[in-house]
Amino acid sequence: MLVTGSNRGIGREIVEALATRETHVLAGMRDTSAFERVGGARAREVTPVRIDLSSKGSIEECVAGLGGRRVDVLVNNAGRFAGGLFEEGDVDEYYDLVQVNFAGLVHLTRRLLRPMLEREHGKIVNNASIAGYAHFPGAAVYSGSKAAVVGFSEALRRELAESPVGVLQVVTPGVETSMLAQVRRDYDEHVGDTSKLDGVDPGEWAGKVVDAIESDAEVLNPGGMERLAKLASRGPAALLDTVLGRAFDR
Ligand SMILES: NC(=O)c1ccc[n+]([C@@H]2O[C@H](COP(=O)([O-])OP(=O)(O)OC[C@H]3O[C@@H](n4cnc5c(N)ncnc54)[C@H](OP(=O)(O)O)[C@@H]3O)[C@@H](O)[C@H]2O)c1
């Protein structure tokens, strides 16, 4: 099992939850020297592996470095956020974000899917976002990148329907990590009350992700308002235009 972006946030919590299972976990991260061992009496050994999703070369090196280690479950979790007015953002940052959130995810999936198909066993887990459905103003590039993850996940799930490999799309709501703290900072000027952006506990969400992997679910949906937002996103655009338009002040 390989989890990207696992040095902190949701990825780290997924690794901690998986470490108590009967599986060997590879913790993908940019800087393996900062890897902190997973504690607890029931935790199994977790192996850190270096991967920078913004670099094609790093993704290839990571896959080559796996050697004989099987990856039966790939958790594409790593991601980055950029918020604020689109025209004020940094173009290099936009390239990097799209690379990490989408192109790198596609690249790594391409490399690891074929061996799964050959072994007739495997699962691809993609961490999308509620922003991939309800496209937030002030997060245009992030929303676009996550909509791409949603489209990729749905198309690939249908493409693999008759195969032994499954696809799980994780529609992540607001989760209390450093990313949500960045969302609050970037939204500060544009959204009246950022306390409404309260997130769920990362350990709780990671537990749901692991349950969804183990129960062979195809989609893990958020609850509460985010569930309603996802439903609304499949209806007339005017609905979300009104709700998100009210929340956002340019
Ligand atoms: N938190 C939320 O509210 C929320 C909501 C919807 C979706 N999500 C999604 O959930 C996933 C995890 O986010 P999080 O909340 O746990 O955020 P986080 O705490 O900011 O963690 C992001 C992770 O992605 C890694 N990452 C960033 N750029 C990378 C790169 N170039 N190569 C490899 N890894 C890279 C980070 O590693 P470094 O430490 O090296 O930067 C870190 O491990 C993301 O895909 C995010 O879009 C989060």
Side-chain angles (χ1 to χ4, degrees):
M1 192 167 287
L2 170 61
V3 184
T4 65
S6 62
N7 56 314
R8 61 188 168 98
I10 299 169
R12 172 69 191 191
E13 297 287 342
I14 292 174
V15 164
E16 296 217 6
L18 288 171
T20 61
R21 309 298 210 270
E22 288 299 309
T23 182
H24 183 222
V25 182
L26 303 171
M29 59 190 72
R30 281 196 279 199
D31 180 8
T32 52
S33 68
F35 173 67
E36 285 176 31
R37 288 188 55 154
V38 177
R42 291 170 57 223
R44 292 161 63 93
E45 189 67 26
V46 171
T47 308
V49 294
R50 191 180 178 282
I51 184 163
D52 180 347
L53 271 301
S54 69
S55 154
K56 279 171 83 175
S58 172
I59 296 169
E60 287 294 324
E61 275 169 30
C62 173
V63 173
L66 291 175
R69 288 178 292 195
R70 290 164 50 149
V71 177
D72 287 334
V73 180
L74 166 62
V75 183
N76 285 310
N77 166 74
R80 50 174 304 180
F81 179 80
L85 297 181
F86 171 71
E87 73 274 16
E88 291 177 358
D90 181 79
V91 168
D92 288 337
E93 200 181 327
Y94 291 161
Y95 266 95
D96 199 51
L97 186 154
V98 172
Q99 174 79 31
V100 174
N101 290 9
F102 186 59
L105 177 154
V106 168
H107 184 163
L108 184 61
T109 304
R110 169 66 182 81
R111 284 284 173 263
L112 296 183
L113 175 59
R114 193 183 280 252
M116 289 181 191
L117 289 167
E118 285 164 3
R119 289 194 302 271
E120 300 192 348
H121 179 60
K123 185 173 290 288
I124 307 292
V125 182
N126 293 331
N127 198 341
S129 167
I130 185 58
Y133 288 90
H135 311 312
F136 299 131
V141 182
Y142 179 76
S143 295
S145 73
K146 291 298 184 176
V149 175
V150 170
F152 174 66
S153 304
E154 291 188 359
L156 193 62
R157 176 177 57 74
R158 291 175 186 135
E159 191 175 315
L160 294 170
E162 303 297 319
S163 87
V165 177
V167 176
L168 165 62
Q169 183 198 146
V170 177
V171 186
T172 301
V175 176
E176 288 297 343
T177 65
S178 51
M179 184 176 288
L180 193 58
Q182 185 189 350
V183 172
R184 285 197 192 93
R185 282 194 306 277
D186 290 355
Y187 268 27
D188 205 33
E189 287 175 47
H190 307 289
V191 175
D193 184 6
T194 49
S195 68
K196 285 187 184 142
L197 299 172
D198 269 358
V200 303
D201 175 75
E204 186 187 325
W205 185 249
K208 289 185 177 176
V209 174
V210 173
D211 288 348
I213 293 170
E214 291 179 341
S215 63
D216 272 337
E218 292 179 341
V219 182
L220 171 60
N221 281 310
M225 291 301 289
E226 278 131 328
R227 192 179 193 99
L228 291 178
K230 185 184 173 209
L231 284 171
S233 74
R234 297 277 153 128
L239 200 57
L240 278 179
D241 283 353
T242 307
V243 176
L244 296 176
R246 264 191 211 137
F248 185 80
D249 178 5
R250 188 177 161 79

